[in-house]
Amino acid sequence: ETGVTQSPTHLIKTRGQQVTLRCSSQSGHNTVSWYQQALGQGPQFIFQYYREEENGRGNFPPRFSGLQFPNYSSELNVNALELDDSALYLCASSLAGTSLGTEQFFGPGTRLTVL
Amino acid sequence: GDSVTQMEGPVTLSEEAFLTINCTYTATGYPSLFWYVQYPGEGLQLLLKATKADDKGSNKGFEATYRKETTSFHLEKGSVQVSDSAVYFCALKRGNTPLVFGKGTRLSVIA
């Protein structure tokens, strides 16, 4: 069983640029959630995708967008980067529709630095 | 809305000391409760969970009991090791809603 993987591990961008982060779900999982973890803070929910559609969103502006693909892998896109977007971005997968849907499995994260 | 409050860190303990990290929550209904651990430079790992009142989650010597009457889920370990040094996050989840995390408590264990 393959766990959740994310790429890249680290990324440095400048203000105004765009970035795409990638996530591969754990085998058999159909739901992907993305979280932003600022330094010294707990993770904050960005959005969730189930069967290729966004089905939940946290308090993040529209310049944060995502995709989920038929193989349940996912992308997080951030446009017009701001300094405050510097954070660890975590992807988590789960299996919705079962009692196991309450448990999410996290990837190692992508550390984004915006200069 | 739902929220989680956990004790401020950092917490510094000597090896073999007793650990308690307090966590309280506010939520409608009956959430599931979790403790996640984050080792330096890594993502989150589920440490333990409890899905209903009076359930006790346990793993690797850590324990936490779901107390509905006090809306708490305090993390305890009888004898910490240097390898337990990490940041610990308390979290709650209701059904298919997203996880709601506390701010985290950094634990440092010194030999």
Side-chain angles (χ1 to χ4, degrees), chain B residues 34-92:
Chain B
F34 304 83
W35 278 100
Y36 282 85
V37 59
Q38 187 172 38
Y39 297 102
E42 298 185 12
L44 298 176
Q45 298 177 24
L46 178 64
L47 181 59
L48 53 84
K49 68 176 182 178
T51 58
K52 61 182 188 295
D54 299 325
D55 266 2
K56 176 184 284 189
S58 61
N59 186 27
K60 300 181 181 180
F62 291 89
E63 293 183 340
T65 301
Y66 190 141
R67 300 288 189 199
K68 183 172 180 294
E69 63 276 12
T70 54
T71 62
S72 65
F73 193 54
H74 304 321
L75 182 68
E76 297 183 336
K77 186 175 185 182
S79 176
V80 293
Q81 306 300 312
V82 172
S83 57
D84 294 326
S85 298
V87 181
Y88 292 82
F89 293 93
C90 185
L92 68 82

Side-chain angles (χ1 to χ4, degrees), chain A residues 62-81:
Chain A
R63 59 189 185 84
F64 285 78
S65 63
L67 284 172
Q68 187 183 29
F69 299 100
N71 65 355
Y72 302 128
S73 65
S74 177
E75 288 183 353
L76 164 65
N77 298 290
V78 186
N79 293 322
L81 283 167

Side-chain angles (χ1 to χ4, degrees), chain A residues 35 37 40-43 45 48 88 90 101-104 106-108, chain B residues 34 36 38 42-44 46 49 89 93 95-96 98-99 101-103:
Chain A
Y35 293 81
Q37 186 182 6
Q41 300 295 315
F45 174 69
Q48 176 174 288
L88 180 69
L90 297 165
T102 57
E103 184 166 346
Q104 295 187 332
F106 283 82
Chain B
F34 304 83
Y36 282 85
Q38 187 172 38
E42 298 185 12
L44 298 176
L46 178 64
K49 68 176 182 178
F89 293 93
K93 195 174 191 301
N96 281 328
L99 282 161
F101 288 89
K103 291 187 175 182

